[in-house]
Amino acid sequence: MSEFFPGIDPIRHAGPEASGELLFRRYDRDKLVEGRPMHEQLRFASAYWHTMRNPLADPFGVGTACMPWDDGSDSVENARTRVRAFFEFLEKCSIDHYCFHDRDVAPEGDDIAESERNLDSVVEELAAQQSRTGKKLLWGTACLFVHPRYMHGAATSCLIDVFAHAGAQVRKAMDVTHQLGGGGYVFWGGREGYTSLLNTDMKRELDHLARFLHMAVDYKHKIGFSGDFYIEPKPKEPTTHQYDSDAAACLNFLREYDLLDHFKLNIETNHAELAGKSMRHELQVASAAGALGSIDANMGTPHLGWDTDCFPGNLYLATEVMLEILGMGGFTNGGLNFDAKRRRESFEPVDLFHAHILGMDTFSAGLEAAAAIRADGSINDFIADRYASWECELGRSIESGAASLDDLHRHACESGEPNIPSARQERLEAIMNRFING
Ligand code: XUL
Ligand code: CO
C-alpha cells in the first residue's frame, strides 16, 4: 500500500552489476561481514530534521523541497501525518533507525505545557509507527538553537531564565527519548559558544555548561534511561566559536568537569572538516579515549568551508570510517546517522531515496573494503612492525612507567646512532586503493 511515496517500491539489493535505479548495489542487509549482518554493522539512521523538515532553502533563496504530504501548517495533525510519511520512507528505503530533535517532530507551543502536550501527541504516533514497523530510535535530542530565546546560548546563556528553559526542554526530550526506547541522547551545542569575547565570560559559561550536563546525568539516572549520552563536536557555525570544538576539546572539557564516565562522542564528518581535522583523526581521538559512540555520516565541500551536510558518496572516506568502527569492535548503541540533506536542486521526493541509497551503498562498500583490508592484514602488520623495537625489556619498562632518563642515557650510549627505516606511506596508500571499489 503506497500512501505518501506512490510509485516507489521497496528498495532491494540487486547486486553490483544490476542496471536500473532505486536499488541497492552494495547494501545487502543480511550479508555477513566479519561475522555480523551488514545491517548490524552499519546501523543506518535517517535524520528527521533533514528528511522531513528541511525545505532546502539557502541564504539567497526559498525552499524548493516538494513534500506533497505536508500541508505547510504548524498543526499537531500535520506533524502526525509527517510521522506516517517518514515511516513509509524508512520502510521502503530499508533504514532501521532514525534520529530527531524535539522541535522537528512537534511544534513549539505558547508555553512549556503546550509544547509538552504537542510533543506527547506526536510521540504517541512515533511509538505506534515504531511498533508497527520495528524501526528504532537511534537517538533523540532537544533543539536549543532555533528559537530566538537561545540567541545568547542555552546552557551557556548569560540569562538564568534561558538556562532554566533549556533544562526544561532537555528534561522533556530525555523523557520521550526514554519512552521511545532510544539508544542514545545527543547534546549538540549549536549556540554554546560565543560570537564576541568582548561580551563573554567564557569561564563562567563553561562552568554552567558542565553543571547543566551534570543535571542531565542525574536526571538520566532518576528516570532509568540506559542509553548513551553523546556530545557532538563542531567548531563553529552558527557561533564564531563553539566550546565543543573538536573531539580533543570535548574530551578535555569532560575530563576537567568529571563527566568523562558519562559521555561518549557523536562524530560528524563535516564538523571534523570544519575543525581542520580529518574524520579519521577525530574518530581515533574519540576511540583512543574509549569514547567513540556514534557517527553523523555526511560530507562537506572542503573548498566551500561551511557545513554543507552532503550525503556521503566518498568511498575512501567511508572505508576509513569503517576501519575505525571495525577496529573498535563495531557499534554498540550508536550507528551511522545520515545527518545530510539533498542539494537544493534535488527537490523531488524520489531524491530522498536516491540520496539515502547513495549513502547506504557507499558505506556498504566501505564496510566490505575495510573488512578486506583487515583480512589482508598487511597495513596492520606494517604498523605493528613499525613499533616492533618497543617489544623488549626497555620498552616494557618505559611503557609501565618504571624507566628513568638515566636508563635512556645508558641505552642510548650502548646502542649508538639508531637505524631509521622508511614510513612507506605511498606503498600503504596503494594497498588501500587495491581494496576500494564501488
Ligand atoms: C548541526 C548538527 C545537528 C546535530 C544534532 O550541524 O549536526 O543537527 O547533529 O543537533
Ligand atoms: Co550532526
Side-chain angles (χ1 to χ4, degrees), residues 246-249 251 265 280-292 324:
D246 65 6
L251 292 170
L265 302 184
R280 194 159 190 195
H281 168 95
E282 289 293 87
L283 293 173
Q284 282 203 10
V285 169
S287 191
L292 176 50
E324 295 304 323

Side-chain angles (χ1 to χ4, degrees), residues 49 101 139 141 145 186 188 232 234 268 271 296 307 339:
W49 55 99
H101 302 81
W139 50 259
T141 187
F145 45 90
V186 161
W188 172 63
E232 183 176 322
K234 184 176 181 179
E268 175 164 328
H271 297 177
D296 270 10
D307 199 8
D339 189 354

Side-chain angles (χ1 to χ4, degrees), residues 38-59:
M38 274 188 160
H39 69 92
E40 270 182 33
Q41 294 282 23
L42 295 162
R43 293 172 59 85
F44 289 128
S46 181
Y48 201 94
W49 55 99
H50 283 308
T51 301
M52 282 295 119
R53 304 309 312 275
N54 196 325
L56 306 180
D58 69 21

Side-chain angles (χ1 to χ4, degrees), residues 50 232 267-273 279 295-300 307-314 317 321 336-341 363:
H50 283 308
E232 183 176 322
I267 305 287
E268 175 164 328
T269 320
N270 208 160
H271 297 177
E273 288 166 1
M279 179 60 169
I295 288 179
D296 270 10
N298 63 9
M299 261 173 41
D307 199 8
T308 56
D309 279 351
C310 297
F311 272 86
N314 184 322
L317 198 55
V321 169
L336 293 167
N337 168 44
F338 293 117
D339 189 354
K341 63 185 179 197
F363 269 93

Side-chain angles (χ1 to χ4, degrees), residues 225-431:
F225 175 56
S226 59
D228 287 329
F229 267 3
Y230 308 115
I231 303 257
E232 183 176 322
K234 184 176 181 179
K236 56 190 170 186
E237 197 198 11
T239 53
T240 305
H241 174 82
Q242 191 173 305
Y243 296 132
D244 300 330
S245 54
D246 65 6
C250 287
L251 292 170
N252 180 58
F253 169 83
L254 292 170
R255 210 172 270 122
E256 179 178 354
Y257 287 99
D258 209 14
L259 285 159
L260 197 52
D261 288 346
H262 308 290
F263 285 84
K264 293 181 174 172
L265 302 184
N266 178 39
I267 305 287
E268 175 164 328
T269 320
N270 208 160
H271 297 177
E273 288 166 1
L274 293 176
K277 307 288 183 336
S278 71
M279 179 60 169
R280 194 159 190 195
H281 168 95
E282 289 293 87
L283 293 173
Q284 282 203 10
V285 169
S287 191
L292 176 50
S294 200
I295 288 179
D296 270 10
N298 63 9
M299 261 173 41
T301 311
H303 53 280
L304 290 182
W306 65 86
D307 199 8
T308 56
D309 279 351
C310 297
F311 272 86
N314 184 322
L315 295 169
Y316 203 97
L317 198 55
T319 304
E320 290 186 305
V321 169
M322 293 317 297
L323 277 169
E324 295 304 323
I325 296 303
L326 291 177
M328 71 162 191
F331 286 117
T332 44
N333 287 330
L336 293 167
N337 168 44
F338 293 117
D339 189 354
K341 63 185 179 197
R342 299 163 286 157
R343 298 306 87 191
R344 186 168 181 265
E345 303 81 1
S346 306
F347 62 92
E348 295 177 351
V350 70
D351 289 306
L352 287 170
F353 288 86
H354 288 302
H356 284 79
I357 290 169
L358 169 70
M360 293 165 80
D361 268 350
T362 300
F363 269 93
S364 301
L367 170 64
E368 292 202 281
I373 288 164
R374 283 158 56 83
D376 168 75
S378 45
I379 294 182
N380 277 343
D381 288 350
F382 182 87
I383 295 173
D385 213 47
R386 192 158 179 244
Y387 295 86
S389 72
W390 289 79
E391 311 304 335
C392 65
E393 205 178 312
L394 179 64
R396 279 185 289 279
S397 104
I398 293 172
E399 290 183 347
S400 69
S404 66
L405 283 185
D406 290 335
D407 297 325
L408 298 190
H409 181 261
R410 196 173 317 111
H411 180 87
C413 291
E414 281 165 13
S415 62
E417 191 55 33
N419 233 339
I420 308 292
S422 162
R424 297 268 187 271
Q425 181 176 328
E426 296 76 7
R427 189 190 136 217
L428 298 173
E429 288 178 3
I431 295 174

